[in-house]
């Protein structure tokens, strides 16, 4: 904000503030935060800066980056040292696939990033939702089912046919209907790429990393697609399974061991979920308590059948395991 203030007071040339935060509408968020800061300045400073920004001298394009980046381990640090002869404590492992989409709204000139494969568009949101739901949402189900099946990594998880089948069902049957696929995206190729990416054993992407912070992630991914199905009179069985598998990983029923990979997941809601679990007697009542508590927003509690179905999957995961729960979801879809 101070840099913008100095620019406005100096030469005043237009500038673009480009956010690469992994947030939907990241440019809009950045603009809102800047405007809040400006609003806290003394009137003599804030008013001219606000007017300068409002006049179009600063733009905040939304962007989306799609690339799987596992947590750095000692294996990557050692590989970099052996290859380069230097010590790097934070090398970043990444998959071959990458997609960078930018809103073409720049206050001045810009680099020719399209030469390197970047996509420019008037509206980033369809690409964001494609990633958040098809990639990220499905990724969550793979991680939770895989962890409950004793899998350390995503490739180990997708090696189980029941996990891959559940992933394909939630992707195509429940997430995809909630999207408008951009015209320049070949959907069949994109979906095939997703399953190839998830099977990439070289990445070593761990179920505990993908499954962590589910209370934040699932709130962004599950409610809208689930509500679309519920309001049309259809039960989104695999979205209910996603929530159930998450809850079994983070707040397992008494006497149920979700395994070391689930236990290693980090989530700010873990204690809150455990408290709700302790006050309920079965899966449906636990799921209802979680949804009523607002974990997935305010609208899903209006559909108690979704909580009931989620709870049934919780009980099935507890008594018969992830394979049986996935089979039940497939049977009723």
């Amino acid at each position: 904000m101070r840099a913008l203030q100095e620019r406005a007071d100096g030469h005043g040339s237009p500038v673009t503030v480009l956010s690469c935060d992994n947030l939907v509408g990241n440019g809009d968020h950045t603009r809102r935060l800047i405007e809040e800061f400006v609003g806290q300045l003394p009137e003599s400073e804030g008013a001219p800066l606000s007017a300068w920004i409002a006049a179009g001298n600063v733009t905040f394009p939304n962007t989306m980056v799609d690339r799987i980046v596992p947590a750095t381990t000692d294996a990557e640090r050692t590989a970099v040292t052996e290859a380069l002869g230097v010590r790097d404590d934070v090398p970043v492992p990444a998959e071959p696939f990458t997609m960078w989409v930018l809103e073409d709204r720049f206050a001045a000139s810009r680099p020719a990033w399209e030469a390197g494969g970047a996509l420019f568009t008037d509206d980033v949101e369809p690409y964001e939702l494609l990633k958040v739901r098809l990639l990220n949402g499905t990724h969550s189900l793979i991680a939770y089912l895989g962890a409950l099946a004793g899998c350390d990594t995503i490739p180990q998880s997708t090696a189980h046919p029941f996990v891959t089948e559940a992933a394909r069902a939630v992707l195509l049957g429940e997430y995809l209907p909630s999207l408008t696929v951009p015209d320049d995206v070949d959907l069949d190729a994109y979906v095939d790429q997703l399953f190839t990416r998830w099977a990439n054993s070289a990445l070593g992407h761990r179920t505990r990393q993908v499954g962590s912070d589910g209370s934040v992630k699932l709130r962004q991914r599950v409610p809208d697609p689930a509500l679309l199905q519920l309001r049309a009179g259809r039960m989104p069985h695999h979205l209910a399974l996603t929530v159930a598998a998450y809850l079994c990983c983070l707040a397992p029923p008494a006497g149920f061991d979700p395994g070391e990979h689930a236990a290693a997941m980090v989530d700010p809601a873990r204690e809150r979920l455990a408290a709700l679990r302790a006050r309920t007697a079965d899966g449906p009542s636990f799921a209802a308590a979680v949804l009523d508590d607002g974990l997935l927003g305010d609208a899903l509690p209006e559909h108690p059948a979704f909580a009931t179905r989620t709870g049934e999957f919780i009980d099935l995961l507890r008594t018969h395991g992830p394979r049986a729960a996935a089979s039940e979801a497939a049977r009723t879809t």
Side-chain angles (χ1 to χ4, degrees):
M1 186 270 293
R2 289 296 186 187
L4 292 178
Q5 189 176 26
E6 290 185 15
R7 191 180 189 96
D9 292 341
H11 54 73
S13 299
V15 64
T16 299
V17 177
L18 192 66
S19 171
C20 290
D21 285 339
N22 191 22
L23 295 170
V24 174
N26 53 15
D28 296 334
H29 283 290
T30 303
R31 181 182 190 111
R32 177 179 55 79
L33 291 171
I34 291 293
E35 289 175 344
E36 287 180 5
F37 275 112
V38 172
Q40 298 301 310
L41 292 173
E43 178 70 16
S44 60
E45 296 182 48
L49 179 56
S50 179
W52 183 72
I53 293 173
N57 290 295
V58 188
T59 57
F60 302 85
N62 292 309
T63 69
M64 186 280 292
V65 176
D66 180 357
R67 198 173 201 190
I68 295 174
V69 182
T72 301
T73 68
D74 286 338
E76 282 82 37
R77 297 183 184 96
T78 299
V80 169
T81 300
E82 292 176 350
L84 303 179
V86 296
R87 176 68 181 178
D88 184 349
D89 287 333
V90 285
V92 179
E95 64 174 335
F97 177 91
T98 184
M99 178 186 286
W100 189 24
V101 184
L102 304 94
E103 186 179 7
D104 200 357
R105 185 161 54 90
F106 288 75
S109 60
R110 62 166 176 79
W113 284 317
E114 63 269 31
L119 301 176
F120 287 91
T121 179
D122 292 333
D123 186 6
V124 174
E125 185 178 39
Y127 298 90
E128 290 178 323
L129 294 180
L130 194 74
K131 172 194 172 185
V132 167
R133 294 179 186 170
L134 299 195
L135 168 62
N136 299 144
T138 307
H139 215 181
S140 291
L141 178 58
I142 293 170
Y144 297 128
L145 288 180
L148 293 172
C151 299
D152 182 33
T153 68
I154 295 298
Q156 289 171 0
S157 303
T158 57
H160 289 285
F162 80 88
V163 174
T164 298
E165 289 164 10
R168 193 171 294 277
V170 76
L171 189 159
L172 296 176
E174 296 173 13
Y175 279 123
L176 183 58
S178 70
L179 299 174
T180 299
V181 179
D183 291 338
D184 57 356
V185 172
D186 181 330
L187 180 62
D188 291 337
Y190 182 80
V191 171
D192 288 344
Q193 279 182 317
L194 286 178
F195 283 90
T196 299
R197 295 164 69 187
W198 290 323
N200 183 354
S201 59
L203 279 177
H205 206 188
R206 306 182 80 180
T207 52
R208 66 185 63 185
Q209 180 187 350
V210 178
S212 287
D213 297 319
S215 58
V216 178
K217 295 173 180 176
L218 296 186
R219 188 182 178 99
Q220 299 172 351
R221 301 167 187 177
V222 169
D224 286 347
L227 290 166
L228 181 69
Q229 298 288 324
L230 291 164
R231 288 165 179 165
R234 297 185 293 270
M235 175 57 64
H237 296 282
H238 285 88
L239 290 174
L241 176 62
T242 300
V243 178
Y246 160 72
L247 292 174
C248 282
C249 284
L250 270 295
F256 174 69
D257 181 5
E260 62 177 309
H261 309 301
M265 293 176 184
V266 177
D267 196 301
R270 185 183 279 274
E271 291 186 8
R272 171 179 152 206
L273 292 173
L276 292 171
R277 170 82 266 183
R279 295 200 297 267
T280 52
D282 55 25
S285 61
F286 176 41
V290 168
L291 294 180
D292 287 343
D293 196 52
L295 181 81
L296 297 180
D298 299 328
L300 276 177
E302 298 173 6
H303 298 270
F306 183 77
T308 299
R309 191 60 176 140
T310 299
E312 290 170 349
F313 281 125
I314 290 173
D315 288 340
L316 192 54
L317 286 163
R318 176 179 60 83
T319 56
H320 291 87
R323 188 185 305 272
S327 177
E328 168 65 12
R331 184 187 69 80
T332 51
T333 296

